Amino acid sequence: MKRMLRMLSLVAAATLAVGCQTVQTTNSGAVGVTRGQSMLVSAAEIEQASAQAYDQVLQEARSKGVLNQDAKQVQRVRRIANRLIPHTAAFRPDAVNWKWEVNVITSDQLNAWCMAGGKIAFYTGLINKLSLTDAEIAAVMGHEIAHALREHSRERASRAMVTNLGLSVLSAVTGVGQGGANLMGAVAKVTFELPNSRLHETEADSVGVELAARAGYDPRAAVNLWQKMSKASNGAPPQFLSTHPSYATRQQDLARDAQRVMPLYQAAK
């Protein structure tokens, strides 16, 4: 039995290794994000799984009566998104044609996220508790959109499959059995449960600052935003930023990137 399990693990590992490829998901932009990424799952598979998971979130929020309750607030968030989305072309031209969706969920959570393919959710707690300005909302949204542009969920799902060599993983890769359901579950897990890596958060910060600047929002608002979130969280970052480097390092990096993209902001104004 042990020998059989070992053989199955080797077969799974070989399947994963053959299917893995290194890709450049985005252009470098002015902030210079150039890292290649190892992907096992296709972009189409992740986008399909993300759309299914997003629909489930919306259905649950709708059933609880917490979806898009404040029409004025929803309009505000969508207006900011509509200014940011055209500038995703600076990093990847195909993103402009994604089937973007932007919804607001009534919740005390200091949270926001963007799934693959442009599926965005903003939580009212983040806006209301921190009294966010438009530029600060743009900073959060740019950060979350950056995760989708860089396909961080696809990268993390691919890494999870490599590190969890088993029959369920193998079935997800080969499309056998519960593969589709497993993949959707993986997308939901990396979106809602597992924090992003520090590397992913740093990349999202840089790309997000540039997106905001290109859309005409002051990129320095990202530094103010972080100061607000640090105070509101009593020194602990919100869940969706929980693995980022120290506060001082983060603010230094954001200030550096903001200065780097100031010409883009001035041109947009």
Side-chain angles (χ1 to χ4, degrees), residues 57-127:
V57 171
L58 296 188
Q59 289 174 13
E60 182 178 353
R62 191 178 292 109
S63 68
K64 294 179 179 179
V66 295
L67 180 65
N68 297 330
Q69 285 189 310
D70 186 335
K72 187 175 181 180
Q73 192 174 63
V74 173
Q75 183 181 29
R76 180 190 181 201
V77 172
R78 288 178 175 172
R79 182 180 68 249
I80 294 169
N82 288 337
R83 282 180 57 176
L84 291 172
I85 289 169
H87 297 285
T88 60
F91 291 94
R92 48 184 304 166
D94 66 309
V96 177
N97 297 319
W98 284 352
K99 295 180 180 179
W100 292 87
E101 294 186 55
V102 183
N103 290 281
V104 177
I105 297 174
T106 300
S107 169
D108 289 336
Q109 293 183 55
L110 302 182
N111 203 4
W113 41 266
C114 179
M115 286 185 171
K119 309 302 184 187
I120 297 173
F122 238 82
Y123 290 63
T124 58
L126 187 60
I127 301 172

Side-chain angles (χ1 to χ4, degrees), residues 23-29 31-37 39 88-95 98 145-152 154 203-204 207 210-211:
V23 300
Q24 292 286 346
T25 56
T26 61
N27 298 323
S28 61
V31 291
V33 175
T34 59
R35 180 179 63 92
Q37 297 159 274
M39 303 296 194
T88 60
F91 291 94
R92 48 184 304 166
D94 66 309
W98 284 352
I145 288 175
H147 281 307
L149 296 177
R150 290 289 295 158
E151 298 189 51
H152 286 154
R154 179 184 172 199
E203 289 182 346
V207 173
E210 181 169 339
L211 282 175

